[in-house]
Amino acid sequence: MDSLRSLQRAGPERRTEQHTAAVRPAPTTPDRTVSSTGAVLARPSARGGRAGLLPQLLVAVLCGGYTTGAVLGWGSSEVALVMGDFGLSAAAATATVSSLVYARKVCGQHRPAWLLFAVSSAMVALGNGIWGWYEVVLRRPVPQTSAADFCFLMFAPPAIIGLLVLAKRPVTRAGWVCLALDASLIGGSLLTLSWSLALARTAAWDGPSTARMALSLAYPLLDIVLVSMVLALHFRRSAANRAAVNTAIAALAMTVLCDALFTSPILREHYRSGQILDAGWFAGSMLLAYAPWTGTRTDPVRRTAATATRKVTGSLAALTPYLAAAVCTLGILYNVITGQKCDRVVLFTGCTVVLALVVRQGIMLLDNISLTQELAQKENHFRSLVQGSSDVIMIAAPTGVLRYVSPAAQGVYGRDPEELVGTELAAHIHPDDLGRVVHEVRRFLAAPPGDEPATRIECRIRSGHTRNRDGSTADDCWLSVESSVNRYQGGLIFNSRDVTERVRLQAQLQHNASHDPLTDLPNRALFTERVTRALSGRRAGDTHAALLYVDLDGFKAVNDTVGHQAGDELLVQAARRIRDALRSGDTAARLGGDEFAALVCGASADPREREFQILDIAERLRSVLCEPYRVEGGEVRVAASIGIAFAEPGATPGELMRNADLAMYRAKQAGKGRVEVYAPQMQADVVRRTELATRLRKALHDGEFTLLHQPVVELDSGRVTSVEAQARWRSAQGILFTPAEFLRATEDTDRSLELGRWLLEQAVEQAALRYGAGHTVPVAVRLPAHRLLHRDLPVSGIETMLTRHGLPPGGLVLELAGGDPRIALDDLERRLSALRRMGVRIALGGFGGGYASLTALRRLPVDLVKLDRCFVEGVVESARLYKITRGLLRIAHDLGVGSVADGVDRPEQLHVLRDMGCTHGQGMAFSGPLDEHRLRGSLTRGGYPVPRETPREQVTSNGLPLPSRRSHNETRVPPA
């Protein structure tokens, strides 16, 4: 049946893949595909195919062979007697054994029934055996009354009780009464009919012997009772193991039919063992032997046929009393038509049948009244449930027209249920969802009802008029609805609920999973997905894409000075500017912190023109990002360093993003606030720096570094007041080199931290040994500011180191190397103050080398300053530099801070610096870096000779600078 035709006409059919992805399967079949083909393939196969065919063939062959033999007379009278007596006995014995074996195998309420069937078959086997004993063994006629007759009479009672056990038991007392009345009605009608046709003649034919007449009538009367039970229970048999019950009923019916034929005086007078009548008894026994092993069938076709059969059976069960009365009436009419005197048995039986029918009808009338009241109560109950449910219940006819809509539609849809009734369901479904709904409805109706009783559909349903946020009326408002769909009289029942909020929440969660929560830009995962899609080249122009990596310069300073709240506000404004500066087809994303990225697609295919376009976009981005930001009531400025990488054939998203990142870092190294385009040399530089870092790590672990010390001399007396520890790398040839290139390659990495830790540890250890030998000269260790603030070098750690090696705190001078704008001076000030309180002296290195050193001198607690060597090298030759150096030394003198000149390589530099007020110096004018043995010799001598005063005009008489001797600090490291 093609149901919901209006739905099928309303929208175009979509592809199966779309329907499958959008519609969830029914809860009872979670692994079912939505296509009708898949539904057919998923049907369970029928059991008992070839396995059940062999027993059926065997039973058919045995019954057919026996019937053929009986028709042909078995070839001789002796064989006929044997097969007619002992053959029937063997068949009944087979049924006995089969029922006993099955009864031992199974458990439950049906086990006694098969035991009773085994007893019934055993009586038949015994009776036929006695009959054969007389005819075959003793070769004489069977007596009129023998033990075989009593065995045959005992066949019916166990079979009747067994059928009662197999029957579906009534649950009420009235049901039991109706079952007894039905059996009596059937039995009475059969007795009336059979008495009129044959039994009266049988009683007369047997003569005046009461015993013989009773024995003759016992067979048909018991058979009538058995037939009555078979007919009554056929309509009430249990659903469990229905095939076995049907086969057993057929076997008993076959036996009863043969007994009824045998009761006829004509057949009984001419009966001989081995005739065709024995074939019926043989078939009944063989069917009863096969009955327990028939098995169950789950074929949907057979199940559908069984459902139709049950409907017919139910109708016949309702007509059973009337059919019985009709049969009884036919028996009486037969006597009237044939002119026979109406027998008392017929009148008594007829009156009994009529009385039973009246009683049964009265019971059924009372039962119907009770059921009607109960049905009305349940109907009111379910009507209250439906009308009070918050879910909308709709019933759609096979044509797609709504037959019923529950009152909940008013609250859920904002629509009057009466207005919806009579309209087509397709008219209320969103056009974009209509094709998917039609496909799912067709698939559901094509699936077997037993395999898929229900399904679920999600779609959008038109709602009533609602108000927008601005107060205006929205005519077209759609609600997301989830419906449970069931079959109903060829149509469908929709049990729908509003899931709009859930759908919105799911969409919001999906959005949050792929977007940055602060700026609402795509996050790294979504951006990587779009880069992958662009590199796949599915759209025109994607192969000419470019990626821009953006980093905000100075953002950390905003966080440190104005606060993190202001920093977040700045990021939001920066994201808005990036989004506005890009084109509509481009993608902006926040990768984390102050790092952003932009994917620009659709650029020109010409490389020069494409580079010009991307550079123009990048410059526009840099320009808008450098404009002032209004945060926390004030203005702040940050710059932007941007790296550009162009998509090349075969490039992966990771490579493209890495190249843009390298270009961005090159822009930062080149001065920040710049735009750089990626070049392959950048990757080579990274590889080289990585190799150098690896060499440094290997040199540290293999002990290739050694420690030298350069004396710091008092300029007036030449006395050594301290030594500066300097690391040297010992090559494979034993030559010492400075690791300056390694330090530059590993700046801000763990390798530089590891080298600084080693330098401090070795310097303290050797200084402690010198103190133990009587040379109480402090050691100066040069460390960068970020190393002093690192978490693995706390103040307590330095104190523990000094205690462990036995060096007093005054024996250590920590020289702060250079200025780093990323270092917070407040944190550095607190750390240096703690070190000074412990007794460690603090020196400020690179003094005068920039404004940062002056700022540090103003903020940081230092004991001495170390004049940058750029002021020492030209102080003799340049009058301008002479004045600057003198001013710096005067500032240190006025602050009460000691001064050390670095790079004093010539005597004239020594005299000039001493005249300016510099107190200490180090350089080749005194000594270069020394190993431990030479250093101790120098300390033992007590100092270095200091040259006396040299006239200034003699220093610069020729107007040319004297050749300078550079210290080993400048020695180049051999290439890797």
Side-chain angles (χ1 to χ4, degrees), residues 224-269:
I224 288 173
V225 174
L226 185 58
V227 170
S228 301
M229 295 304 301
V230 168
L231 292 177
L233 296 179
H234 177 71
F235 305 119
R236 294 176 176 268
R237 61 188 182 276
S238 175
N241 204 5
R242 187 178 297 273
V245 176
N246 288 338
T247 307
I249 289 176
L252 296 176
M254 178 69 71
T255 304
V256 169
L257 177 62
C258 294
D259 287 345
L261 294 175
F262 180 76
T263 305
S264 173
I266 300 177
L267 291 178
R268 186 174 180 181
E269 182 180 0

Side-chain angles (χ1 to χ4, degrees), residues 343-607:
D343 195 277
R344 288 176 295 177
V345 175
V346 174
L347 289 176
F348 178 77
T349 306
C351 293
T352 304
V353 169
V354 172
L355 180 61
L357 180 61
V358 171
V359 174
R360 189 186 189 283
Q361 289 301 108
I363 294 175
M364 292 302 298
L365 180 60
L366 295 177
D367 194 26
N368 287 338
I369 293 174
S370 176
L371 289 176
T372 302
Q373 295 175 351
E374 184 180 356
L375 181 62
Q377 293 178 357
K378 291 184 177 180
E379 184 179 356
N380 293 333
H381 175 69
F382 285 109
R383 182 183 293 108
S384 300
L385 289 178
V386 171
Q387 294 180 352
S389 174
S390 59
D391 294 347
V392 179
I393 299 175
M394 300 183 297
I395 300 179
T399 58
V401 177
L402 294 176
R403 291 178 177 174
Y404 172 79
V405 179
S406 66
Q410 183 68 48
V412 177
Y413 299 154
R415 310 280 296 275
D416 187 2
E418 298 297 332
E419 296 179 358
L420 295 176
V421 174
T423 62
E424 292 187 355
L425 179 60
H428 308 290
I429 300 177
H430 196 282
D432 294 342
D433 300 338
L434 186 57
R436 173 167 49 86
V437 174
V438 170
H439 172 81
E440 176 61 15
V441 168
R442 288 178 175 176
R443 185 203 63 80
F444 174 63
L445 292 175
D451 293 342
E452 189 173 1
T455 188
R456 291 186 181 273
I457 295 176
E458 280 194 14
C459 63
R460 285 167 289 179
I461 296 291
R462 187 187 303 276
S463 178
H465 297 303
T466 58
R467 292 284 181 182
N468 293 326
R469 294 182 179 178
D470 57 358
S472 60
T473 301
D475 293 333
D476 292 333
C477 180
W478 300 94
L479 296 177
S480 296
V481 175
E482 180 187 52
S483 301
S484 177
V485 185
N486 296 270
R487 298 174 178 85
Y488 175 74
Q489 296 181 357
L492 296 173
I493 296 180
F494 292 84
N495 189 356
S496 307
R497 62 195 60 87
D498 183 10
V499 293
T500 304
E501 292 300 324
R502 190 193 72 185
V503 172
R504 289 176 181 173
L505 179 60
Q506 290 177 346
Q508 184 64 37
L509 291 176
Q510 185 177 2
H511 179 83
N512 293 343
S514 59
H515 288 75
D516 176 57
L518 179 63
T519 62
D520 202 38
L521 290 178
N523 58 15
R524 183 182 293 272
L526 180 57
F527 185 74
T528 304
E529 178 183 346
R530 293 188 179 179
V531 172
T532 304
R533 191 184 311 160
L535 293 181
S536 64
R538 296 180 180 177
R539 298 182 304 173
D542 283 348
T543 54
H544 308 304
L547 194 146
L548 280 63
Y549 209 105
V550 183
D551 185 85
L552 301 181
D553 303 323
F555 175 74
K556 186 178 184 302
V558 175
N559 274 340
D560 295 339
T561 56
V562 188
H564 289 276
Q565 184 67 29
D568 291 345
E569 188 177 348
L570 187 148
L571 291 176
V572 172
Q573 296 183 28
R576 188 181 305 115
R577 294 181 184 184
I578 294 175
R579 188 164 41 229
D580 295 341
L582 295 176
R583 302 170 303 176
S584 59
D586 301 334
T587 300
R590 183 189 177 202
L591 304 182
D594 60 340
E595 294 182 349
F596 297 86
L599 178 64
V600 181
C601 300
S604 174
D606 183 46

Side-chain angles (χ1 to χ4, degrees), residues 687-818:
V687 173
R688 184 178 61 85
R689 290 169 64 89
T690 303
E691 292 177 351
L692 292 177
T694 303
R695 290 185 61 189
L696 174 60
R697 181 174 63 252
K698 185 176 184 301
L700 285 171
H701 290 173
D702 295 347
E704 296 181 4
F705 279 90
T706 187
L707 197 64
L708 302 181
H709 295 84
Q710 188 172 21
V712 178
V713 180
E714 188 176 18
L715 297 183
D716 285 337
S717 62
R719 182 174 59 88
V720 179
T721 57
S722 63
V723 292
E724 180 184 0
Q726 299 177 5
R728 292 292 186 271
W729 171 64
R730 187 184 303 275
S731 67
Q733 294 77 20
I735 303 175
L736 295 178
F737 298 95
T738 61
E741 187 173 2
F742 285 99
L743 291 177
R744 287 194 298 271
T746 59
E747 185 179 3
D748 295 333
T749 64
D750 293 339
R751 302 285 76 79
S752 64
L753 297 177
E754 188 175 356
L755 181 60
R757 187 186 306 112
W758 176 87
L759 176 62
L760 181 60
E761 184 79 25
Q762 293 295 319
V764 170
E765 181 180 1
Q766 294 187 19
L769 295 177
R770 289 194 296 271
Y771 262 71
H775 305 293
T776 57
V777 178
V779 61
V781 180
R782 183 182 178 91
L783 294 175
H786 69 86
R787 181 69 186 92
L788 283 174
L789 289 176
H790 200 268
R791 60 179 179 273
D792 68 344
L793 190 63
V795 176
S796 59
I798 296 178
E799 183 178 8
T800 302
M801 184 186 302
L802 294 174
T803 303
R804 184 172 64 252
H805 294 292
L807 180 68
L812 176 63
V813 179
L814 292 179
E815 178 184 340
L816 188 63

